[in-house]
């Protein structure tokens, strides 16, 4: 009798899991075939491992710029990253053809296509200028910016023009068969911080949510873009699930949950980064499971990676047994004159953490591009 009951219960549980899986769909009910596949595959892939990503990987590295085929990640680990982050900031500026870090949008499109054709995943961030103009950039926190671009605001028409440019860019991303390349769009990121004009010190919850929903509506309905997966992203500063969800625009407007967090100090002496990241990933993982959505560590890193074992020690401990779909580290700018510092987050050949990075890349759980290709994420 007991065995029968056990079998019946197990059967129901399996059915429930399959039922949730079968329902897994992007929030855009008109999402393209490849976008739906990517979404389902990201959720499925979380069970066995996570993709490794790098911002601006193909454009430049610590010691080079725009050299066909080059990638600091590949030169250090033997393979390209599986996730490619690109930055749209600057696209909103009239007549501008390169982003705020000097990457020409034309080249960015080619890099996006290369990464996608090799089976990688594309994610886009947008450090848009302040709508108040006058040279104010994303880091201007004058109150009222968000309200000014929301419907009814003085800068709403201008915001629509910005979105027209974003839409033209995203709409122009095409694979070799003419299909739209799916993108994980992560606008208005780190909103729980206090450094951008869309952050919590500069706008109300309602204003933030309205901005998100309008942006979604405009790109999905007006611009008919159906190759976008929407990534909700906070800073690494929340302590409860409620805090993480404070500005959440709704289950019907978000595909993927994520946050950003960076290492500072000495990871051999202080464990706060590992412990806090692990604790926060656990909270977000539970929320993601309840909602049936994938989750990620969308941005992280340790500037200039001065700790030789950061990858297999610190980062892996921070991720722990949390089943994220990807982790991405920030860009390899190299020497930054303004700060007189080296600004990079992935190792390059000869860098102090290179050997450890190779060990990290070789782990079964960690997927670089070849493994992403084998997953056939778009089918
Ligand atoms: C920051 C730094 C800046 C850069 C910005 C947008 O974290 O890397 O130098 O302009 O991201 O990419």
């Amino acid at each position: 009798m007991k065995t029968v009951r056990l079998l019946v219960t197990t059967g129901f549980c399996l059915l429930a899991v399959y039922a949730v899986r079968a329902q897994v769909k992007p929030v855009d009910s008109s999402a393209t075939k490849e976008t739906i596949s990517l979404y389902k595959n990201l959720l499925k892939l979380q069970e066995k491992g996570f993709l490794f990503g790098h911002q601006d990987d193909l454009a430049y590295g610590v010691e080079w710029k725009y050299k066909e085929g080059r990638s600091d990640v590949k030169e250090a680990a033997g393979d390209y990253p599986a996730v490619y982050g690109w930055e749209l900031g600057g696209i909103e500026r009239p007549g501008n053809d390169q982003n705020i870090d000097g990457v020409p949008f034309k080249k960015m499109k080619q890099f996006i296509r290369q990464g996608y054709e090799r089976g990688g995943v594309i994610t886009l961030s947008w450090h848009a200028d302040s709508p108040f103009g006058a040279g104010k950039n994303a880091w201007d926190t004058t109150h009222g910016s968000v309200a000014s671009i929301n419907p009814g605001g003085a800068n709403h028409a201008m915001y629509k023009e910005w979105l027209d440019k974003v839409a033209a860019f995203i709409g122009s991303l095409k694979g070799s068969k003419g299909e739209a390349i799916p993108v994980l769009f992560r606008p208005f990121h780190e909103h729980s911080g206090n450094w951008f004009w869309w952050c919590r010190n500069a706008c109300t919850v309602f204003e933030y949510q309205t901005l998100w929903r309008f942006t979604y509506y405009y790109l999905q309905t007006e611009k008919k873009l159906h190759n976008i997966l929407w990534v909700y992203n906070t800073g690494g500063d929340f302590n409860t699930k409620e805090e993480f969800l404070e500005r959440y625009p709704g289950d019907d407007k978000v595909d993927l949950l994520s946050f950003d967090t960076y290492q500072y100090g000495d990871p051999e002496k202080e464990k706060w980064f590992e412990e806090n990241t692990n604790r926060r990933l656990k909270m977000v993982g539970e929320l993601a499971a309840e909602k049936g959505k994938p989750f990620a560590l969308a941005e992280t890193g340790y500037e200039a990676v001065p700790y030789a074992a950061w990858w297999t020690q610190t980062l892996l401990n921070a991720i722990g047994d949390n089943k994220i779909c990807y982790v991405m580290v920030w860009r390899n700018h190299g020497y930054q004159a303004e700060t007189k510092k080296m600004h990079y987050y992935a190792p390059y050949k000869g860098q102090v953490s290179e050997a450890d990075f190779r060990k990290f890349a070789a782990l079964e759980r960690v997927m670089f591009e070849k493994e992403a290709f084998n997953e056939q994420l778009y089918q």
Side-chain angles (χ1 to χ4, degrees), residues 109-239:
K109 275 186 206 176
Q110 291 162 359
F111 293 137
I112 287 176
R113 182 160 174 178
Q114 283 171 16
Y116 166 76
E117 293 292 340
R118 285 196 294 254
V121 174
I122 310 303
T123 178
L124 302 174
S125 49
W126 186 21
H127 289 76
D129 280 346
S130 159
F132 288 149
K136 291 182 163 74
N137 61 21
W139 289 267
D140 179 87
T141 54
T142 311
H143 201 99
S145 320
V146 171
S148 87
I149 57 174
N150 276 338
N155 294 321
H156 185 60
M158 180 191 75
Y159 184 56
K160 287 204 277 191
E161 286 171 20
W162 289 10
L163 288 180
D164 290 343
K165 292 182 181 164
V166 169
F169 183 85
I170 296 180
S172 74
L173 303 173
K174 295 277 161 66
S176 58
K177 290 179 221 87
E179 78 283 18
I181 298 178
V183 296
L184 270 54
F185 187 37
R186 186 170 62 97
F188 314 120
H189 66 300
E190 299 176 3
H191 62 260
S192 58
N194 60 3
W195 42 87
F196 298 130
W197 53 262
W198 55 85
C199 278
R200 71 195 292 270
N201 59 322
C203 64
T204 66
V205 170
F206 179 74
E207 286 163 358
Y208 184 86
Q209 291 174 334
T210 304
L211 174 63
W212 187 285
R213 289 184 187 136
F214 176 77
T215 305
Y216 178 91
Y217 158 78
Y218 196 76
L219 296 185
Q220 197 269 354
T221 310
E222 295 283 332
K223 293 283 148 185
K224 301 185 172 48
L225 289 176
H226 302 302
N227 55 333
I228 301 181
L229 294 173
W230 293 78
V231 183
Y232 177 78
N233 178 263
T234 71
D237 38 21
F238 59 95
N239 283 310

Side-chain angles (χ1 to χ4, degrees), residues 22-69:
Q23 281 168 13
V24 170
K25 278 196 251 89
V27 289
D28 176 3
S29 57
S30 306
T32 65
K33 194 163 90 1
E34 290 77 13
T35 309
I36 298 174
S37 297
L38 174 63
Y39 192 60
K40 290 190 173 181
N41 285 323
L42 286 176
L43 199 68
K44 201 168 84 189
L45 165 148
Q46 289 189 161
E47 295 303 316
K48 60 173 175 189
F50 56 83
L51 306 170
F52 176 78
H54 186 213
Q55 182 77 2
D56 282 354
D57 188 79
L58 302 173
Y60 54 85
V62 170
E63 285 160 354
W64 57 273
K65 268 195 167 88
Y66 309 112
K67 294 267 161 61
E68 191 61 31

Side-chain angles (χ1 to χ4, degrees), residues 6-21:
L6 189 71
L7 280 174
V8 171
T9 322
T10 319
F12 272 124
C13 286
L14 281 175
L15 274 179
V17 169
Y18 287 128
V20 169
R21 283 262 168 83

Side-chain angles (χ1 to χ4, degrees), residues 87 100-101 127 139 330-331 336 343:
E87 167 61 36
I100 52 169
D101 301 314
H127 289 76
W139 289 267
W330 204 237
R331 62 196 199 99
Q336 219 164 23
H343 183 59

